[in-house]
Amino acid sequence: PNHAKVDVVVIGAGPAGTVAASYLKKQGYDVTILEKEKFPRFQIGESLLPCCMEHLDESGLLEAVIPKNFQKKTGAAFMRGENRCEFFFSEQFTKGWTWTWQVKRADFDLTLAEATRAKGVAVNFECEVLNVTCSKDKQIVDYKDIDGNKFTIEAKFIIDSSGYGRVLPRLFDLSKPSAFSPRGAIFAHLEDKNRTEKASNNIFVHSFDDNKSWIWAIPFSDGSTSVGVVGNREKIEEMAENGGEKYKNFIREFEDLKGRFKSSKLKWEPKHILGYSVGVKQMYGEGFVLSGNSTEFLDPIFSSGVTFATASGLLSAKMTHKHLQGETVDWKKEYEDVVQGGINVFRSYVSGWYTGDFQTIVFAQQINEEIKNQICSVLAGYVWDQSNPFVKKHDTILSTLAKVIKMKESPKADL
Ligand code: FAD
């Protein structure tokens, strides 16, 4: 009796897994999610991008999230010392969503998981996937529950949405190192009594240390705010020592925060995470596909993680549907190249952030409105719109433009 048979097993009940499962349920499949943790559980990744609203909508999950009244996010503000640049998602090149939310992931992911279950997906918490054997038509998944009882479930197809767990990349040796230098982040949720209206509607990102480090401030609807510091590994390790003492002092004293968190109480002791950037050799194989963070994760700077999770969750489900209908799927072309294409756009922006080209552009004395709107669409997650030159020419456009701006602003320096 502990050998069940279903159409699709989804590993992980984060945004990628719930979007994939909900979409497939809508097409009439028998879907089971196996999730290691008990929800609600903490997860990092709290600032969403407007583009992910489309994926939530298409998978039928958006209406469950709306009544939760999460903090509305209408833009992103970048700062460095006296430099300021505010992007409004209402002023975009690509036609799309003009707002999204900033969420405590414990609440958000629970909402998605409950809504997915309400659609008829079997969502099994505290079930950890241990082993997977794949073949053309029959996939075998071994898992254990919280009491250590072992089970086997058989599926026609598997979607791995196990995020940082990276179940199939680990089992099938699919991971590859990231080209980015190893960074880390330390963060906590804090009281935020000095929050302005602008700080409520935006993510605030402060660049410092010659663009090598930065701080996020992500506001929540209950008046608290997530504050994180990102920097090279050694810096974050040092900040994390003695219960995050240096982190606490740093965010209280950091000049550009202007005392916003000077006397704020922390809701919990700071957590830190190191070396999160990782790549993948291939995003699919016989009987399975990877989605969300179990594919590639670049860097948190542009808050793209959840949007990639929902985008790839949705597309992986569409391709699974096609496959299960007996049609041929070109997984490389129809799935991996599409997901990778979006990741590659963000890769250029992440690189541009750490080289400082992005800052040179957004903090320029003058920024052309059309250019700003085109960059805004990338920041909103619309990275598949090839009519946007800041998408299409992502690999060269930032450095070229930054060079022009530098020449204009200090012509002598370039002689
Ligand atoms: P997850 O949300 O990680 O869900 C995967 C689920 O799989 C988990 O619940 C896990 O318990 C489960 N699982 C794991 N192993 C197993 C197993 N063996 N069996 C069963 N279940 C398993 N993204 C943003 O969009 N905005 C941000 O502001 C942002 N900030 C970030 C800051 C930092 C410092 C970092 C490192 C990342 C940030 N991200 C951000 C990225 C974000 O955390 C991820 O991209 C996102 O959570 C990926 O969603 P997912 O559904 O792929 O995986």
Side-chain angles (χ1 to χ4, degrees):
N2 62 1
H3 185 118
K5 264 189 181 182
V6 296
D7 292 324
V8 181
V9 164
V10 176
I11 310 173
T18 47
V19 163
S22 294
Y23 181 86
L24 283 168
K25 187 71 213 174
K26 218 159 77 171
Q27 314 310 319
Y29 295 101
D30 186 7
V31 188
T32 287
I33 297 184
L34 300 173
E35 163 58 54
K36 187 169 87 176
E37 305 282 335
K38 183 177 175 186
F39 280 21
R41 57 95 178 87
F42 177 83
Q43 180 59 289
I44 195 64
E46 299 156 328
S47 189
L48 309 182
L49 301 183
C51 182
C52 90
M53 308 298 265
E54 291 185 1
H55 315 136
L56 294 176
D57 194 15
E58 204 177 335
S59 57
L61 289 170
L62 189 64
E63 52 192 50
V65 187
I66 290 170
K68 297 289 167 177
N69 291 318
F70 288 116
Q71 182 68 50
K72 213 168 163 183
K73 173 186 176 189
T74 55
F78 296 94
M79 284 157 269
R80 186 181 60 190
E82 292 311 305
N83 296 133
R84 293 263 173 293
C85 181
E86 213 180 326
F87 286 92
F88 304 96
F89 295 135
S90 55
E91 295 171 8
Q92 267 198 70
F93 173 81
T94 306
K95 295 277 159 284
W97 280 76
T98 56
W99 61 276
T100 184
W101 291 293
Q102 319 218 57
V103 298
K104 288 187 184 169
R105 289 285 301 280
D107 300 341
F108 181 70
D109 290 17
L110 178 65
T111 303
L112 296 182
E114 281 177 344
T116 302
R117 179 178 274 170
K119 291 177 192 302
V121 172
V123 184
N124 300 297
F125 294 109
E126 297 180 298
C127 286
E128 180 181 0
V129 173
L130 302 172
N131 198 32
V132 174
T133 314
C134 285
S135 64
K136 192 163 172 284
D137 303 310
K138 185 168 147 182
Q139 327 311 329
I140 304 292
V141 182
D142 299 320
Y143 67 97
K144 66 167 189 200
D145 68 12
I146 189 75
D147 301 316
N149 300 314
K150 295 202 171 153
F151 303 87
T152 296
I153 185 165
E154 186 184 319
K156 294 177 188 151
F157 208 79
I158 297 176
I159 300 182
D160 179 13
S161 309
S162 58
Y164 301 100
R166 303 184 68 77
V167 172
L168 295 189
R170 262 192 304 110
L171 290 174
F172 299 160
D173 187 27
L174 296 172
S175 288
K176 82 175 181 203
S178 167
F180 288 123
S181 44
R183 298 192 174 88
I186 179 163
F187 43 87
H189 291 173
L190 280 89
E191 276 179 350
D192 192 4
K193 294 192 174 136
N194 304 319
R195 193 198 278 176
T196 59
E197 200 187 326
K198 189 182 274 190
S200 289
N201 300 331
N202 288 281
I203 181 174
F204 275 13
V205 176
H206 298 269
S207 177
F208 66 101
D209 248 7
D210 200 16
N211 304 318
K212 284 196 289 292
S213 312
W214 53 279
I215 294 179
W216 77 66
I218 298 173
F220 301 123
S221 52
D222 67 356
S224 67
T225 290
S226 169
V227 183
V229 180
V230 177
N232 69 35
R233 206 187 167 99
E234 298 71 43
K235 185 184 193 80
I236 299 306
E237 274 172 341
E238 198 189 325
M239 280 195 172
E241 281 167 17
N242 304 322
E245 200 181 322
K246 286 206 168 127
Y247 158 85
K248 291 179 198 167
N249 291 337
F250 186 79
I251 57 169
R252 295 207 161 111
E253 304 302 329
F254 182 64
E255 212 184 321
D256 294 351
L257 284 170
K258 299 194 179 354
R260 180 169 165 193
F261 302 105
K262 183 116 196 124
S263 49
S264 293
K265 285 204 187 78
L266 274 71
K267 303 275 175 188
W268 30 263
E269 286 303 291
K271 300 178 198 288
H272 70 288
I273 170 168
L274 300 166
Y276 36 68
S277 303
V278 64
V280 77
K281 291 177 200 159
Q282 195 169 304
M283 295 186 190
Y284 59 91
E286 203 165 63
F288 75 89
V289 60
L290 313 178
S291 71
N293 256 49
S294 103
T295 61
E296 174 157 7
F297 181 68
L298 299 172
D299 190 277
I301 177 62
F302 295 117
S303 309
S304 56
V306 171
T307 299
F308 266 96
T310 55
S312 58
L314 184 62
L315 187 60
S316 68
K318 287 181 180 173
M319 292 302 116
T320 301
H321 174 40
K322 192 174 169 187
H323 169 79
L324 291 176
Q325 278 184 314
E327 288 180 49
T328 304
V329 176
D330 185 340
W331 288 98
K332 169 90 179 105
K333 210 168 129 223
E334 294 176 79
Y335 184 71
E336 184 171 297
D337 288 352
V338 178
V339 176
Q340 195 68 58
I343 291 174
N344 290 345
V345 175
F346 269 111
R347 189 191 320 281
S348 297
Y349 285 76
V350 171
S351 301
W353 173 266
Y354 290 105
T355 61
D357 285 344
F358 181 85
Q359 288 86 332
T360 300
I361 295 167
V362 302
F363 299 141
Q365 284 154 16
Q366 275 182 325
I367 173 165
N368 172 300
E369 279 308 309
E370 195 184 0
I371 286 180
K372 193 173 171 194
N373 294 353
Q374 288 166 344
I375 295 175
C376 190
S377 282
V378 172
L379 301 181
Y382 290 99
V383 288
W384 289 276
D385 177 3
Q386 292 296 325
S387 71
N388 182 352
F390 278 77
V391 169
K392 197 172 169 61
K393 294 187 274 183
H394 65 88
D395 49 345
T396 53
I397 199 160
L398 295 180
S399 59
T400 309
L401 183 58
K403 230 180 256 164
V404 174
I405 291 169
K406 276 188 199 149
M407 269 183 348
K408 257 202 220 154
E409 292 186 355
S410 58
K412 283 199 191 113
D414 282 85
L415 285 178

